Amino acid sequence: MPSAVRLPPPLIALSLPAVVPALVAALLMPGGVADAAGKPEVRLSASQAGTGGSVMVSGSGWRPHTLLTMLVCGQSAPSRGVPGGTGSCADADGRAVTTDARGRFERALPVAEPPVPCPCVVHVATATGPKARADAALQVAGHAVEPLPAQPGGGRLAVLTAPRLDGSGGLLTWFGAPPERTLVLTVGNVGTSAVKDPVFQVGTSHGVFAPRWEERRWRGTIRPGQRARVVLPVSLAAGAHGDHTVSLKHGGRVMAEQPWAVSRPWGVTLFRVLACLVVPAALFRAGTVLVDRVRPPGAARRRGGPRLPRLPVPHLSAPRSHAARPRAPCPSSGAPDPASPTLPWFTPDAGPGALSAPHDDTPADSETGI
């Protein structure tokens, strides 16, 4: 019986570290290492289909448990991707699919006519996480076909510094004027050709709402390897307040985002409070004036009731001193003293005559007892 072949101890020690990891990987993930490490791929069950039909889309090489979107896009090619963005795709008839643990998927996609002519592709891209995409050519039967537009130059801009918003609000903004800022950032040309007068898209969004895009042209030329400082105006609607986000897009991709916290226009609130106080007061005043004008002239006297006749008030003179007091006439004369007051309840004919204040002819020395 032949004896067993024995390996020298050094060879056994060298072979174990190389074999064990390979065996563990083969047992745990059979065929998954190649799929995960490969490039994302998309395959179609048919290269041509009519509107209303469907094709089976399968893929491999994607990240495990990743959400993907599938769209039929026009004016595209697998070598160029989708230059016009998802605006050239049939978004309403798209589908979503999640890859399995090996990065594979398979799902039926309804065929619909995109809003632009063919050549068409089935565009598959990641919806969450790092960006990845893959395209497969599809001929939509009965749809118009036109040549692809000329491919733009090799210039490509990239943001080199963090964007910032310069400016502040003023008195008019406090009373509801549109808030305005200036978006400042530095971009560089990482492509192979110059970029002349690039057109940026500046978007503003509030909360979870989609951005509202506006085109802003920057005048200048950025050569390959050069950088430039870009300054773009940004504005919001009148009376806007709260947390906003400013986005910058160029070439169909978002380059930068910057938050913008806008304070509430308290001047508008103050104006509304004053209006609630002034307007009712003005209406009340106008109402009282109108009532006074339409009221009859004698209504005020009738409303007050009858008035009593005014009685004459007797004139009482201040008492005079003893030294300046005039001498009273003799009572026997019967002539009234014109300086003495007449009481209102006596008449000259029925009264007892003129009344005079009492007086004393005694000298001053006798009054003091000297």
Side-chain angles (χ1 to χ4, degrees):
M1 183 176 180
S3 60
V5 179
R6 295 183 180 180
L7 295 177
L11 294 179
I12 297 176
L14 292 175
S15 60
L16 288 178
V19 174
V20 172
L23 292 176
V24 173
L27 293 175
L28 295 180
M29 294 183 299
V33 177
D35 295 339
K39 184 179 179 181
E41 297 180 356
V42 174
R43 296 176 297 273
L44 304 180
S45 60
S47 61
Q48 182 178 357
T51 304
S54 62
V55 293
M56 188 64 66
V57 183
S58 59
S60 60
W62 300 86
R63 295 193 316 273
H65 307 292
T66 302
L67 181 63
L68 307 178
T69 57
M70 302 185 301
L71 300 171
V72 177
C73 304
Q75 289 290 289
S76 306
S79 59
R80 296 178 53 178
V82 184
T86 57
S88 61
C89 304
D91 298 334
D93 297 298
R95 292 294 184 267
V97 64
T98 303
T99 59
D100 56 12
R102 298 184 180 182
R104 299 177 180 179
F105 71 91
E106 184 176 9
R107 182 170 183 182
L109 175 66
V111 178
E113 294 185 355
V116 295
C118 285
C120 300
V121 298
V122 173
H123 179 69
V124 181
T126 56
T128 58
K131 300 297 182 181
R133 65 174 182 84
D135 302 314
L138 175 66
Q139 184 179 356
V140 180
H143 193 57
V145 179
E146 293 182 3
L148 291 175
Q151 189 172 1
R156 183 170 176 268
L157 299 180
V159 177
L160 303 180
T161 59
R164 72 174 187 273
L165 293 173
D166 291 347
S168 60
L171 182 61
L172 296 179
T173 306
W174 200 68
F175 280 95
E180 297 181 353
R181 294 292 187 273
T182 302
L183 181 64
V184 181
L185 72 162
T186 302
V187 299
N189 188 355
V190 296
T192 58
S193 61
V195 178
K196 183 179 180 181
D197 299 338
V199 177
F200 296 94
Q201 289 182 321
V202 179
T204 55
S205 60
H206 177 55
V208 298
F209 295 96
R212 180 174 56 90
W213 299 99
E214 295 181 359
E215 292 188 353
R216 297 284 188 269
R217 180 179 294 275
W218 184 81
R219 299 293 181 177
T221 302
I222 307 176
R223 302 187 181 279
Q226 291 184 349
R227 60 175 62 188
R229 184 172 179 267
V230 178
V231 179
L232 302 173
V234 184
S235 62
L236 299 177
H241 62 277
D243 295 332
H244 291 72
T245 302
V246 180
S247 304
L248 181 67
K249 185 165 62 174
H250 177 69
R253 61 188 182 89
V254 179
M255 302 176 61
E257 292 183 351
Q258 178 67 22
W260 183 7
V262 184
S263 59
R264 181 182 293 273
W266 293 107
V268 178
T269 305
L270 178 61
F271 177 80
R272 293 174 179 174
V273 173
L274 293 178
C276 294
L277 297 178
V278 173
V279 171
L283 294 177
F284 177 76
R285 178 58 180 170
T288 55
V289 172
L290 182 62
V291 169
D292 291 341
R293 289 187 177 183
V294 301
R295 185 172 54 187
R301 295 182 179 180
R302 290 195 300 268
R303 182 181 60 182
R307 296 185 179 182
L308 298 176
R310 182 176 298 179
L311 299 176
V313 179
H315 178 71
L316 300 178
S317 60
R320 301 180 179 180
S321 61
H322 181 76
R325 181 178 302 170
R327 192 175 185 84
C330 182
S332 60
S333 61
D337 187 4
S340 61
T342 304
L343 298 179
W345 54 85
F346 293 106
T347 59
D349 297 336
L355 299 179
S356 61
H359 60 277
D360 191 3
D361 295 335
T362 305
D365 296 342
S366 62
E367 293 179 359
T368 55
I370 301 177

